[in-house]
Amino acid sequence: EQILRAEEVSFEPAALPLLARAAEGSLRDALSLLDAALAYGGGRLDRPALAHLLGAGSVAHLREFVDALVAADAAAALESIDRVVREGQELVWFTREVVEALRQLLVVKVGPPGALAELTPGEAEEFRSRAERVSAEELLFLLRVFLETEGELRRSPHPRVELEMGAVRAAR
């Protein structure tokens, strides 16, 4: 954010957490991704363009999938995975975003008010509403399942199958 403001580059604040997660803690990678995102976005950093560049897909698919997990609805979770695959989203990235969404739910559920400063007030309310439908123990289980699933996806010649197995396991 400091760099973007100093360079007077237009940006969408919602893109910054996505960029940071993609860089996995590396400032050099973050700057490289930022350069690519600015070139791709015509000199502006916005979340939809960055998500497309990273193969991250839409927030709507992520929400659908997490809602299916919270509702323990394996069929809906598998339908979400099918949509993600048909749209060509990268499954490891999608799974990483699932982990992040579940982490945010857990923090909203058990953390102090305002613990997730990166969320807009509307997003925070949406997360609070979703977190009310699931226990902290269930969120811990879901997180463990998808952390393990992400590792399996990276090693498997069949990443879709790994993700589907993780979704069914989580829903059951």
Side-chain angles (χ1 to χ4, degrees), residues 69-88:
L69 296 175
V70 167
D73 187 343
L78 292 175
E79 287 175 19
S80 291
I81 292 169
D82 187 58
R83 277 191 288 282
V84 165
V85 169
R86 279 188 279 123
E87 290 188 7

Side-chain angles (χ1 to χ4, degrees), residues 17-99:
L18 185 63
L19 181 71
R21 285 192 301 276
E24 297 181 341
S26 168
L27 179 59
R28 185 182 319 217
D29 289 352
L31 292 173
S32 294
L33 286 169
L34 178 59
D35 283 341
L38 291 174
Y40 187 78
R44 182 178 194 290
L45 179 65
D46 67 4
R47 192 188 193 295
L50 178 60
H52 189 266
L53 175 71
L54 295 172
S58 77
V59 173
H61 291 321
L62 179 63
R63 287 181 183 142
E64 283 176 4
F65 187 71
V66 171
D67 283 344
L69 296 175
V70 167
D73 187 343
L78 292 175
E79 287 175 19
S80 291
I81 292 169
D82 187 58
R83 277 191 288 282
V84 165
V85 169
R86 279 188 279 123
E87 290 188 7
Q89 292 181 37
E90 211 284 318
L91 295 181
V92 172
W93 179 262
F94 178 76
T95 305
R96 189 177 300 153
E97 288 297 291
V98 169
V99 168

Side-chain angles (χ1 to χ4, degrees), residues 127-155:
F127 272 89
R128 270 190 292 281
S129 172
R130 193 173 280 121
E132 288 174 3
R133 296 180 278 161
V134 65
S135 71
E137 290 75 21
E138 289 168 319
L139 284 170
L140 289 169
F141 175 74
L142 292 172
L143 266 167
R144 175 59 48 211
V145 167
F146 283 94
L147 285 168
E148 291 170 2
T149 298
E150 181 185 352
E152 293 301 320
L153 263 103
R154 291 175 184 274
R155 293 184 293 276

